[in-house]
Amino acid sequence: MTSRAEQQPSPAERYQAFRGSQGGPALAEFEVGYPFGLDAFQRTACKALERGRGVLVAAPTGAGKTVVGEFAVHLALRSGRKCFYTTPIKALSNQKYADLVARHGADKVGLLTGDTTINGGADVVVMTTEVLRNMLYSGSGALRGLAHVVMDEVHYLADRSRGGVWEEVIIHLPDDVVLTSLSATVSNAEEFADWLVTVRGDTEVVVEEHRPVPLFQHVLLGTRLYDLFAGGEHAQSAGGEHAQSAGGEHAQSAGGEHAQSDNRGDVSPELVRRSRDEDRYSPRERGSRPSRPAVPRRPEVIERLDREALLPAITFIFSRAGCAAAVDQCLRAGLRLNSTEERERVRLHVERRTADLPREDLRVLGYWEWLEALERGIAAHHAGMLPTFKEVVEELFVEGLVKAVFATETLALGINMPARTVVLEKLVKWNGEAHVDVTPGEYTQLTGRAGRRGIDIEGHAVVLWQPGFDPKQVAGLASTRTYPLRSSFRPSYNMAVNLVGSVGRESARALLESSFAQFQADRSVVGLARQVSRNLEALDGYREGMSCHLGDVLAYDDLRQAVRRRETDLAKQGSSQRRAQTASSLVALKVGDVIAVPQGRRSGLAVVLDPGLGQNGQAHPLVLTEDRWAGRLSDADFPAPVEPLGTLRVPKAFNHRSPHNRKDLAGSLRALGLRPERGRRPRAAAADDVELARLRAALRQHPVHGCDEREQHLRWAERFARLRHDTDGLERRVEGKTHSIARVFDRVCGVLEELGYLSGDEVSEPGRQLARVYNESDLLVVECLRAGLWDGLSSAELAAVVSAVIYESRRPDEASPQVPGGPVRATLDAMRELWGRLRDTEAAHTLDFLREPDPGFSWSAWRWAAGAELEQVLQDDPDLTAGDFVRSCKQLADLLGQVALIAEEPVRSTARTALAAVRRGVVSYSGVA
């Protein structure tokens, strides 16, 4: 019989078991450098890397998944090999570069972001994912010795415009490179990991759903802070009448029963009741109830958070203008969040970081207003800001010297700016095309900034009450922590010539079939086929419901739909005619004309400061409104032709950027006492249309028209038509999903063969040029060179026309901007014609890749490349921010550099000169510390 002592493991065995649980020697060395012990999920992922396996880590924002990426760096350095650390955006690359330099030293770490190169031959290089993709296609020597690649924010592969780059990198990386993929929490992590196994080999998926810092959800209604879920904190009054504040320690500590990462439950009944009361009663009907508005002003929100010890806070506002306005409101309200000592630290930091900015540009950059806000502990953060300004805001926020930031959602993409509290003003945002609801994934990403690990015992998410607010909607967003990862991959022209040139057409086709997009498509076919079968059964039932003894209901419904289509077409024709008349009336306006803006935010009287006649014959008048706003309008602002109501003298030296000048002239405008007259309603085109009259007569004469159960039959017919349409779509999807990526590749190759870039497996000289152009309109760039459209242009003119390829207007009313005349205008017209021919070629191959050239930045690019000062360029376009200008110039410089590499003389020399002319002044300044 074995004794009890003999059953116990020996000390040596216990030590071996301990070493196995802790990982190998590399992990032990790595942990010594961290102030906090590794969490279980971090240790699991690091142990897999040390064993030579790839990993996919899916974890909430702030959980510390980047530690796994840093361990991959440690492994590479320990073995004397290289590690590339990739990110989706330059700001995140800059930040990660600074982190790794602080840990490993500047001699071992480099940075490559397209417009910035620092120590590119280092053992550890931080780069944007596009840079690594370009390296793989060009066979860069920097790939030699590469052992590890970290793909931070890998869920970005779902991005519609840029996501495909992630899949290209994953597919093309050498087999011996170990891949570390870091992702936000997604609901199909296992599916993504299954795909990684098929293309990268042994991969371990590590999913962590627990937040290291618990997150509590609140709603701010008036001056009271309510818990979103029942069972949490009670509402906090402005006077702090409850014993515990939301920012103080709870009775339950971080490890207690209520300190959970999701703290879900039923929606607070008190919050639901109060929200309904606010929506039900007008202020007058509330009687003795407090008259204070339920939606507090932005300075009041910050002050309330400050009293509750909930700062620092990030307030997400889905508008650049809204962020800037919020800072201005806080300044005008006299809000000060920093002490005298903190103000001095801010000023010293700002002066050091902006020392290289051209002094003459500080005023036009809004430097002094920005500095004043920073000294008070307040800042904005959005893409329209100068990159250096954004970086300073990030640095000061991390140091605790900025306590209130008003930001757009781009801040949530991996940038290291954790806060104690995140505030969402609204749950609706503009996505570039329409106002849409914030998704659960976006809500999670935004609120994930709340709760600083090692500093806060809990984080807080606060949603501001708005009229029509539904607490259950917020609860649904807060309760849904995950979202599926969907591929956005598709072959491009550049990708096709690179693949065919490196592995041949058939091998390239097979390679593309290994994409995550095809992987997901193949998996979804089974479910789609089942749905088609169910729909076909339902259609049989609908046929019975819509049968009529008098005639064919579907034929009658077709006539009815034809009537509706004709009515819609006639309405559009009338609208088009009115737009043309409106455009003509704008062209006729003169300086001093007083007009009425009938709709939108700028409705009311306005005086014309500049007719704004463009080279294209369209007008975008610069006006000043009664409320002192100055800006350009377009025909989109006027549903009917414009008629001057009177005239007003505009001083010759009038400067619309001067608040004093705007105030005086707006006062004169109001003093006129003019008011617009109501116009006569135009006669509808439908009243005289012969075809519409014929269709209406045919509808009345159809036998089904006289059926007593006609409407019931038509309801069934409508259901039948809708389901038939959906089923047809499903059948097309089933048919199209099989080998769908390879078929798109075949069509892309068909276009390239027709244009002379490919011949079977052979890549022509133009094809080799195309292989070195990395731009959404890559084919258009090379076709412009082949057609000689850019020959004979000056450097400033070349910058202007090339900008049309990189720029994309943010608003529809930028569709007809001011453009330089002469060669620039003629070349832009030729580029549009060339694009039209390429579009026809694409359409013949069932493709739609190339975006129409957008001249919206051409005037600014032309002026800047010709040597104009920054203030002059920005003054020409009141809607152009300094940040947008710098970003567009850097994109332009990147493409000009590519043109200089592939073009023949004289365009090559001109492109180099244009590149130097664009990359000067504030554009040339690198924001990397």
Side-chain angles (χ1 to χ4, degrees):
M1 184 175 177
T2 306
S3 68
R4 180 176 179 83
E6 291 173 333
Q7 296 176 4
Q8 299 296 322
S10 68
E13 290 171 333
R14 289 200 300 272
Y15 177 73
Q16 285 298 107
F18 169 76
R19 287 295 302 270
S21 68
Q22 296 300 303
L27 183 55
E29 293 171 4
F30 177 74
E31 265 196 277
V32 171
Y34 275 86
F36 311 106
L38 298 189
D39 291 341
F41 86 93
Q42 294 168 331
R43 184 169 286 107
T44 298
C46 290
K47 286 162 62 177
L49 284 176
E50 193 165 7
R51 293 195 300 270
R53 305 183 67 193
V55 295
L56 166 64
V57 181
T61 301
K65 52 183 174 287
T66 55
V67 169
V68 181
E70 291 171 359
F71 181 64
V73 172
H74 175 80
L75 285 174
L77 291 175
R78 191 174 187 270
S79 64
R81 300 183 71 190
K82 293 182 179 180
C83 177
F84 289 168
Y85 197 112
T86 73
T87 73
I89 56 175
K90 294 176 183 178
L92 188 52
S93 292
N94 294 341
Q95 197 171 73
K96 200 64 206 176
Y97 167 75
D99 293 343
L100 292 174
V101 166
R103 184 172 177 83
H104 300 288
D107 60 321
K108 293 184 179 179
V109 184
L111 176 68
L112 295 173
T113 61
D115 55 29
T116 302
T117 300
I118 301 175
N119 198 16
D123 292 332
V124 179
V125 183
V126 183
M127 61 185 68
T128 51
T129 316
E130 282 88 349
V131 170
L132 178 53
R133 185 270 312 274
N134 300 353
M135 282 185 176
L136 291 167
Y137 280 151
S138 65
S140 170
L143 297 169
R144 284 193 296 271
L146 181 63
H148 288 267
V149 166
V150 180
M151 302 197 76
D152 205 350
E153 308 284 341
V154 74
H155 56 274
Y156 208 81
L157 65 79
D159 181 72
R160 183 175 56 182
S161 60
R162 295 174 53 216
V165 176
W166 274 252
E167 291 186 51
E168 291 181 70
V169 169
I170 292 172
I171 291 171
H172 297 314
L173 274 176
D175 292 339
D176 62 338
V177 174
V178 178
L179 183 65
T180 301
S181 304
L182 309 178
S183 171
T185 307
V186 293
S187 54
N188 60 335
E190 288 76 12
E191 179 189 37
F192 185 49
D194 288 345
W195 173 69
L196 287 174
V197 169
T198 65
V199 294
R200 302 296 317 160
D202 195 10
T203 301
E204 183 164 339
V205 58
V206 180
V207 177
E208 173 63 32
E209 296 182 352
H210 176 73
R211 281 177 52 96
V213 180
L215 179 64
F216 289 82
Q217 308 280 345
H218 310 281
V219 174
L220 183 61
L221 199 163
T223 59
R224 302 190 69 186
L225 195 62
Y226 291 84
D227 273 334
L228 176 62
F229 297 100
E233 290 289 305
H234 290 90
Q236 314 292 312
S237 72
E241 50 214 53
H242 292 287
Q244 295 173 329
S245 71
E249 291 192 22
H250 286 280
Q252 295 80 19
S253 67
E257 58 177 318
H258 290 303
Q260 303 299 317
S261 63
D262 53 6
N263 65 338
R264 305 292 188 271
D266 295 330
V267 179
S268 166
E270 183 180 1
L271 173 61
V272 173
R273 183 170 57 254
R274 176 69 195 278
S275 180
R276 287 175 178 170
D277 287 346
E278 288 295 335
D279 274 333
R280 184 179 299 126
Y281 302 111
S282 68
R284 184 175 298 176
E285 292 171 324
R286 290 173 187 153
S288 61
R289 294 184 63 202
S291 59
R292 191 174 183 83
V295 183
R297 297 172 61 249
R298 286 159 174 161
E300 295 171 343
V301 174
I302 300 302
E303 289 174 336
R304 175 60 203 273
L305 296 178
D306 192 21
R307 288 197 301 271
E308 296 289 348
L310 291 177
L311 296 181
I314 299 171
T315 301
F316 284 106
I317 303 172
F318 303 116
S319 158
R320 298 178 181 184
C323 292
V327 172
D328 184 58
Q329 290 160 14
C330 290
L331 293 182
R332 285 191 280 106
L335 197 61
R336 298 179 187 273
L337 304 176
N338 278 346
S339 65
T340 301
E341 187 269 337
E342 288 173 327
R343 287 172 62 91
E344 183 61 25
R345 288 172 60 194
V346 167
R347 179 174 285 271
L348 289 173
H349 184 93
V350 171
E351 289 176 349
R352 178 179 64 83
R353 289 287 278 108
T354 61
D356 293 334
L357 285 177
R359 299 292 97 181
E360 64 273 14
D361 291 339
L362 293 185
R363 185 183 65 80
V364 70
L365 291 174
Y367 172 86
W368 303 110
E369 297 84 353
W370 171 70
L371 176 59
E372 180 187 0
L374 290 177
E375 289 181 335
R376 295 192 188 190
I378 305 163
H381 188 289
H382 57 77
M385 294 172 61
L386 195 70
T388 304
F389 285 14
K390 286 196 298 179
E391 291 163 14
V392 170
V393 170
E394 294 161 14
E395 293 156 3
L396 292 176
F397 191 82
V398 171
E399 291 295 320
L401 296 175
V402 167
K403 301 176 173 65
V405 169
F406 299 92
T408 55
E409 63 182 318
T410 53
L411 182 147
L413 188 64
I415 296 176
N416 182 29
M417 280 183 65
R420 177 168 295 176
T421 303
V422 163
V423 179
L424 273 70
E425 283 198 348
K426 296 181 179 180
L427 298 176
V428 175
K429 68 169 189 172
W430 175 258
N431 68 357
E433 298 176 357
H435 286 92
V436 296
D437 292 336
V438 170
T439 67
E442 291 166 339
Y443 184 89
T444 300
Q445 186 86 354
L446 296 170
T447 57
R449 298 285 104 197
R452 298 165 296 176
R453 191 171 190 179
I455 302 176
D456 301 320
I457 62 170
E458 60 198 30
H460 297 269
V462 177
V463 179
L464 302 190
W465 183 91
Q466 301 284 344
F469 181 87
D470 183 2
K472 293 181 180 179
Q473 178 194 6
V474 186
L477 291 172
S479 300
T480 307
R481 285 292 183 211
T482 59
Y483 54 97
L485 186 60
R486 296 285 177 242
S487 172
S488 61
F489 179 83
R490 69 175 186 180
S492 68
Y493 297 115
N494 169 277
M495 184 194 307
V497 292
N498 274 296
L499 285 176
V500 173
S502 58
V503 299
R505 188 157 172 177
E506 283 307 311
S507 296
R509 200 174 190 275
L511 199 62
L512 292 176
E513 292 223 294
S514 67
S515 66
F516 186 44
Q518 190 60 58
F519 186 83
Q520 289 189 311
D522 292 342
R523 284 195 167 193
S524 65
V525 165
V526 174
L528 290 174
R530 289 175 182 165
Q531 184 61 49
V532 168
S533 178
R534 287 193 293 267
N535 286 4
L536 292 175
E537 293 178 8
L539 287 171
D540 290 337
Y542 289 177
R543 282 192 184 91
E544 296 180 11
M546 68 181 185
S547 64
C548 176
H549 66 287
L550 294 179
D552 187 343
V553 174
L554 284 180
Y556 179 78
D557 189 56
D558 287 343
L559 272 175
R560 190 178 60 162
Q561 297 301 327
V563 169
R564 290 179 179 175
R565 285 193 298 270
R566 185 61 181 171
E567 291 172 340
T568 301
D569 291 343
L570 290 171
K572 288 180 179 178
Q573 290 175 16
S575 177
S576 177
Q577 292 172 357
R578 285 194 298 274
R579 283 197 301 270
Q581 294 168 357
T582 299
S584 298
S585 68
L586 288 179
V587 171
L589 292 177
K590 300 180 179 61
V591 175
D593 281 347
V594 177
I595 62 174
V597 183
Q599 62 186 16
R601 298 186 299 169
R602 310 304 178 189
S603 61
L605 291 180
V607 59
V608 177
L609 306 177
D610 172 20
L613 294 177
Q615 298 287 340
N616 55 7
Q618 293 186 335
H620 290 269
L622 176 66
V623 305
L624 175 72
T625 64
E626 292 175 289
D627 61 2
R628 308 180 195 175
W629 176 83
R632 293 197 180 276
L633 301 176
S634 71
D635 54 8
D637 296 297
F638 300 92
V642 185
E643 295 182 7
L645 304 175
T647 58
L648 181 65
R649 192 183 72 83
V650 178
K652 289 185 178 180
F654 183 81
N655 180 4
H656 71 275
R657 291 182 176 273
S658 166
H660 179 73
N661 287 0
R662 292 201 306 269
K663 179 182 177 182
D664 289 347
L665 190 59
S668 301
L669 178 62
R670 288 191 297 270
L672 291 177
L674 297 174
R675 285 295 175 264
E677 299 179 359
R678 293 182 177 274
R680 292 184 300 174
R681 191 177 185 88
R683 178 178 172 86
D688 304 317
D689 186 68
V690 175
E691 174 63 13
L692 181 59
R694 186 192 67 77
L695 287 171
R696 285 173 173 169
L699 186 70
R700 289 191 296 269
Q701 294 167 7
H702 194 281
V704 175
H705 192 72
C707 180
D708 294 337
E709 298 179 345
R710 179 187 65 193
E711 295 306 316
Q712 183 178 348
H713 294 325
L714 287 174
R715 281 194 291 272
W716 282 108
E718 183 179 352
R719 295 173 189 170
F720 180 91
R722 191 185 311 124
L723 186 58
R724 181 67 265 177
H725 178 270
D726 292 345
T727 305
D728 290 343
L730 288 173
E731 290 175 334
R732 286 192 298 270
R733 287 174 62 190
V734 170
E735 181 182 352
K737 281 181 178 292
T738 307
H739 306 296
S740 54
I741 301 299
R743 285 203 303 273
V744 174
F745 175 71
D746 290 339
R747 296 200 294 270
V748 168
C749 289
V751 170
L752 295 176
E753 285 188 323
E754 181 175 334
L755 297 175
Y757 290 86
L758 291 178
S759 178
D761 282 354
E762 296 297 320
V763 179
S764 67
E765 178 56 32
R768 285 188 284 274
Q769 288 181 306
L770 180 59
R772 302 177 72 181
V773 176
Y774 301 98
N775 180 274
E776 185 181 358
S777 296
D778 46 13
L779 184 60
L780 178 60
V781 170
V782 182
E783 284 291 294
C784 285
L785 290 173
R786 293 179 72 187
L789 298 188
W790 297 345
D791 294 351
L793 297 176
S794 69
S795 57
E797 291 165 347
L798 181 63
V801 299
V802 172
S803 74
V805 182
I806 61 100
Y807 185 75
E808 187 171 5
S809 301
R810 296 179 63 237
R811 297 189 308 275
D813 61 0
E814 294 181 34
S816 301
Q818 184 178 11
V819 298
V824 173
R825 177 170 177 75
T827 304
L828 288 171
D829 288 342
M831 288 171 63
R832 274 191 293 268
E833 292 177 7
L834 176 57
W835 168 80
R837 295 195 295 273
L838 291 175
R839 181 186 56 182
D840 293 341
T841 301
E842 283 191 322
H845 292 267
T846 325
L847 293 174
D848 183 18
F849 283 5
L850 297 176
R851 180 173 55 82
E852 182 177 5
D854 188 333
F857 191 66
S858 61
W859 179 270
S860 300
W862 177 66
R863 292 272 282 153
W864 178 251
E869 296 298 324
L870 179 64
E871 182 173 9
Q872 296 172 316
V873 175
L874 296 182
Q875 188 171 4
D876 286 345
D877 186 352
D879 294 324
L880 182 64
T881 68
D884 285 335
F885 171 75
V886 170
R887 185 175 62 258
S888 294
C889 279
K890 288 191 173 186
Q891 292 172 349
L892 173 58
D894 182 55
L895 185 54
L896 284 170
Q898 296 176 39
V899 171
L901 288 175
I902 67 171
E904 302 291 338
E905 295 292 355
V907 176
R908 173 178 295 180
S909 296
T910 306
R912 288 172 178 165
T913 305
L915 174 59
V918 170
R919 194 179 285 164
R920 66 178 175 89
V922 70
V923 177
S924 67
Y925 175 68
S926 172
V928 181

